[in-house]
Amino acid sequence: MVNVPASGIDFKNVDKVVIFKAYLVILVTTAIALLGSYLLAHGTIFWGTLTLFIFLTFFALQVILLGAADNYLRTAVILNGFAWAIFFYQAISVYFILALAFLILFLFLAARRGSDELGNSLKVKTGRVVRAVVGLSLTAAVIFIFVSMILAGKITLTEEGMRDLTDIVLTPIAKHYVKDFTPDMETGVFFTKLAERNLITNRQFVNQSVNQLKKDVEGYLGAEIDLKQSVSKNLYQAFQFKISSLTPQAKLYWALIILAIIFLSVKSVEFLIALPLTLLVFLLYQAALVFNFASVDLKDRSQEVVLLNR
């Protein structure tokens, strides 16, 4: 191994092969981000999410391979951020620019944490680097993608979407009370069957019970409902009414609440993806060493540092 001087590595005078390898690492990671942006912008959620996972793997590998070269790492982060944004051009606005700035900032912080982890360890430990990188980068990417998809109109709750949501969320509960419940069932029929389930057989009492239930539900939803319309359509119209009646300040509060929920959700699954990410990054890192793409040298005769080979 070659001892690296304490002053660090002179990346201004590196070989052209090293420069080529550095930009190849950046190009591959940026291309994966571009692919993820394209897939998610076109509504391909499953493959887009899978591509995000692959991006995080190569982003962590990028930090390991370029961690000693701040100029290259800064360039990489900026290109990675813009790559995620490029296919959401329909969302261009002040909010989109703020979301992009948020993404690039957090990717910078994630890369800095990863490179600091490398600098504070005597040996290169991929697991620690992944844990240092994945939290901020995953959170930033998910929040940016969510905001961009909303601004681009990729996430909208249509009447058909509300029907599907009702079928998933409400149907299993409603079937405990009305066995033949479906989202397309008329609301009046649903309320009538609920009243009859309570052993009310007198028609007058049934009608009174339905009217009272209608008032209770309207009070809960904050919107009027039509007994002749389906359950899902009434829910959809109530949702649209609530959204349209929100003040700008209330919309901001709800947006912050949703972002907080996303943040907590991401943090809750972070540890679940850290292990497979660590394994993939370790395998790719070892492959880079085996195929002489990079090597481990010594700095100050004791600390390992990853260098791209000439």
Side-chain angles (χ1 to χ4, degrees):
M1 292 184 178
V2 179
N3 290 329
V4 180
S7 58
I9 306 164
D10 184 8
F11 280 94
K12 294 181 180 179
N13 300 313
V14 294
D15 189 271
K16 289 183 179 179
V17 175
V18 175
I19 296 176
F20 171 76
K21 287 183 176 181
Y23 280 106
L24 181 61
V25 172
I26 297 172
L27 177 62
V28 171
T29 309
T30 302
I32 294 170
L34 272 172
L35 178 60
S37 174
Y38 174 82
L39 291 171
L40 290 168
H42 287 79
T44 312
I45 304 300
F46 174 78
W47 292 109
T49 303
L50 182 61
T51 305
L52 172 60
F53 180 83
I54 297 172
F55 167 78
L56 293 173
T57 301
F58 277 84
F59 184 79
L61 180 68
Q62 179 180 257
V63 171
I64 293 174
L65 296 178
L66 305 180
D70 284 344
N71 289 338
Y72 288 111
L73 199 54
R74 281 195 292 269
T75 301
V77 168
I78 293 173
L79 290 176
N80 295 164
F82 276 100
W84 276 110
I86 197 164
F87 284 104
F88 289 105
Y89 57 87
Q90 294 175 327
I92 191 69
S93 64
V94 173
Y95 295 111
F96 180 75
I97 293 172
L98 289 175
L100 177 58
F102 169 82
L103 172 65
I104 293 176
L105 173 62
F106 271 64
L107 289 180
F108 264 124
L109 294 175
R112 174 54 58 191
R113 285 182 62 180
S115 59
D116 287 346
E117 182 61 43
L118 288 170
N120 295 331
S121 302
L122 293 179
K123 292 185 176 294
V124 177
K125 297 180 179 179
T126 55
R128 290 186 177 181
V129 175
V130 169
R131 286 193 295 272
V133 167
V134 68
L136 291 175
S137 56
L138 177 62
T139 301
V142 170
I143 290 178
F144 171 77
I145 291 167
F146 178 77
V147 171
S148 298
M149 291 184 75
I150 288 179
L151 292 175
K154 302 299 181 181
I155 299 179
T156 56
L157 190 60
T158 62
E159 189 172 333
E160 183 64 27
M162 176 58 80
R163 184 194 179 285
D164 294 338
L165 185 62
T166 304
D167 195 31
I168 293 171
V169 177
L170 184 60
T171 297
I173 300 172
K175 279 185 176 294
H176 284 290
Y177 304 97
V178 178
K179 297 298 182 182
D180 58 345
F181 174 83
T182 68
D184 297 322
M185 178 179 284
E186 284 188 8
T187 306
V189 174
F190 177 54
F191 285 173
T192 299
K193 291 190 175 186
L194 282 177
E196 291 173 347
R197 182 181 181 275
N198 293 326
L199 302 180
I200 299 176
T201 56
N202 186 292
R203 196 65 202 172
Q204 182 179 355
F205 289 153
V206 168
N207 291 337
Q208 290 176 354
S209 179
V210 168
N211 290 332
Q212 184 60 46
L213 188 56
K214 178 176 180 291
K215 290 180 181 178
D216 293 341
V217 173
E218 286 177 339
Y220 178 76
L221 293 177
E224 293 185 1
I225 60 175
D226 186 344
L227 293 178
K228 293 185 178 181
Q229 290 184 349
S230 68
V231 174
S232 61
K233 188 169 185 177
N234 271 311
L235 289 175
Y236 172 74
Q237 292 177 344
F239 177 80
Q240 292 294 328
F241 174 78
K242 294 292 289 186
I243 291 295
S244 63
S245 63
L246 287 176
T247 64
Q249 187 177 23
K251 289 180 179 179
L252 177 61
Y253 287 151
W254 275 106
L256 292 175
I257 290 171
I258 291 172
L259 290 178
I261 292 172
I262 293 174
F263 174 78
L264 293 174
S265 300
V266 170
K267 298 302 289 184
S268 68
V269 301
E270 181 183 316
F271 75 98
L272 293 176
I273 69 170
L275 183 58
L277 269 179
T278 299
L279 178 61
L280 286 175
V281 173
F282 175 78
L283 292 175
L284 290 171
Y285 169 64
Q286 291 300 317
L289 298 181
V290 169
F291 290 101
N292 205 33
F293 188 86
S295 61
V296 178
D297 285 349
L298 291 179
K299 179 181 178 181
D300 297 335
R301 299 180 181 274
S302 59
Q303 186 180 37
E304 291 183 350
V305 61
V306 180
L307 299 177
L308 299 174
N309 288 339
R310 290 178 172 85

